[in-house]
Amino acid sequence: CTLVLVGRSALPEADEDPRTAIAEDRNALRRALLEIGELTKPHDIEQACNRIEADREMRASIAMLESFGATVEYVSLDVRSSAFGELLEDVKERHGRIDGVIHGAGVLDDHFLRDKTADGFDRVFGTKVDGARTILDRVHLGLRFVVLFGSISGVVGNRGQTDYAAANDALDALARHHDGHHECRVISIDWGPWAGGGMVSPELEREYARRGIGLVDPDDGVMALLHEIAADAGPAQLVVMRGTPEAFGPPLE
C-alpha cells in the first residue's frame, strides 16, 4: 500500500553524524555531543538530543514500513494549516483514491489552569481539533475510515491538562457526529498511557504504577486499532486502557 505520513518535523536530508551515530542511548548521546564540543549549554544539548532522536525515529519508521513493501511518502506541514486539506485532496487526485486517515497529531503544554495562556490552549486544542475537522470535511473524497487518536484524559480529566482534555473530548464529539456520513466509519480512540515511550516519561510511568494504572502494550494497542479499522461497524468512541476506571479518576456516572 501507499502510506502518506505527515509531521511538523522536516525529514532528515542526510545520514546522522558518525560521531553521534555510535551513541546507543540518551546518556551516550549527551557525552558524544560534549566531546564534539560545539554545544556546551545543557539546554542546547538536550535540544540537540531531541532532534537527533526524532530523526532516528523517522528514519527507522520509514525503513521498517518500506521493508514490508509499502511505498512511503513523507510531507512536513502543520495539520492546523490550510496545506493539510490541500494535501488530502492532492493525494486523492494523484492516487485516484484515499482509503482512510489516522489522525494522531498532538502536543502538550501542561500547566495549572491559572498558569495557562490563550496561545498555549489554542496550540494544544487546534492541533487535534482543527486537524480532525479538516479531515472530516473531506470524507466525501471516498474515505472508508477516519481514526482520531484521543486520550483517556478527555474522558476522566487529568491534572494540568484542561486544554488537552478539552481537545480529546471534542474529538469524541466529532466522531459521534460524523460517524456514518458518506458511508465512512469515524471512530475516536481514547488511549490510556502506552508503554515504551511516547508521551509517558519514566517519572510519569512510576506515578501511574503508584496509582494502579497499567500501560498499554504497543502490540495490544496496534491490534486494537487494526481490529476497529477492519470492522464494518462499531462504536464511534472507544476507550482502550489497562487498569480500572477508578484508577484514572472519580467514578463515572
Side-chain angles (χ1 to χ4, degrees), residues 136 148 167-179 188 236-237:
L136 295 171
L148 309 176
N168 288 295
D169 180 63
L171 292 187
D172 297 336
L174 286 170
R176 290 192 297 268
H177 177 74
H178 287 273
D179 185 32
S188 177
Q237 178 185 359

Side-chain angles (χ1 to χ4, degrees), residues 133-154:
R133 285 173 171 158
T134 296
I135 299 165
L136 295 171
D137 285 344
R138 288 165 175 79
V139 295
H140 63 276
L141 295 177
L143 275 67
R144 293 191 298 108
F145 67 85
V146 173
V147 180
L148 309 176
F149 274 18
S151 168
I152 189 67
S153 68

Side-chain angles (χ1 to χ4, degrees), residues 15-246:
D15 293 336
E16 184 178 341
D17 188 325
R19 295 175 295 179
T20 61
I22 59 175
E24 297 182 356
D25 57 34
R26 184 88 174 196
N27 288 332
L29 189 54
R30 292 189 184 104
R31 289 194 297 270
L33 291 170
L34 285 170
E35 290 172 0
I36 292 171
E38 296 174 359
L39 302 174
T40 57
K41 296 181 180 179
H43 174 76
D44 294 340
I45 290 174
E46 292 304 311
Q47 289 292 98
C49 287
N50 291 340
R51 185 183 66 254
I52 291 170
E53 289 180 339
D55 287 352
R56 287 179 178 180
E57 184 174 356
M58 292 172 70
R59 292 190 191 96
S61 296
I62 292 174
M64 179 187 66
L65 292 169
E66 290 177 339
S67 74
F68 288 114
T71 298
V72 181
E73 301 176 16
Y74 181 84
V75 181
S76 176
L77 57 80
D78 190 327
V79 296
R80 295 177 296 171
S81 70
S82 60
F84 183 42
E86 294 167 1
L87 172 65
L88 295 173
E89 293 165 5
D90 177 66
V91 170
K92 172 62 183 294
E93 182 177 347
R94 287 190 291 115
H95 296 282
R97 56 190 274 202
I98 177 168
D99 295 321
V101 180
I102 298 175
H103 178 45
V107 295
L108 294 177
D109 186 32
D110 293 355
H111 297 286
F112 290 125
L113 182 59
R114 63 175 180 268
D115 299 322
K116 288 187 179 292
T117 65
D119 287 343
F121 185 97
D122 290 343
R123 187 166 60 91
V124 172
F125 191 85
T127 298
K128 282 186 172 288
V129 179
D130 292 351
R133 285 173 171 158
T134 296
I135 299 165
L136 295 171
D137 285 344
R138 288 165 175 79
V139 295
H140 63 276
L141 295 177
L143 275 67
R144 293 191 298 108
F145 67 85
V146 173
V147 180
L148 309 176
F149 274 18
S151 168
I152 189 67
S153 68
V155 180
V156 298
N158 199 25
R159 184 179 175 90
Q161 290 190 332
T162 52
D163 45 10
Y164 192 68
N168 288 295
D169 180 63
L171 292 187
D172 297 336
L174 286 170
R176 290 192 297 268
H177 177 74
H178 287 273
D179 185 32
H181 290 192
H182 295 277
E183 299 182 350
C184 178
R185 171 93 192 278
V186 181
I187 181 171
S188 177
I189 301 182
D190 293 319
W191 299 106
W194 278 46
M199 292 182 171
V200 180
S201 64
E203 294 78 12
L204 190 55
E205 184 173 343
R206 288 192 291 271
E207 174 61 16
Y208 281 138
R210 185 189 67 80
R211 292 164 55 187
I213 298 173
L215 302 182
V216 176
D217 182 271
D219 289 341
D220 292 340
V222 169
M223 289 306 300
L225 171 63
L226 295 178
H227 174 79
E228 291 303 320
I229 290 176
D232 293 330
Q237 178 185 359
L238 181 71
V239 175
V240 179
M241 67 180 190
R242 186 180 297 277
T244 62
E246 291 76 15

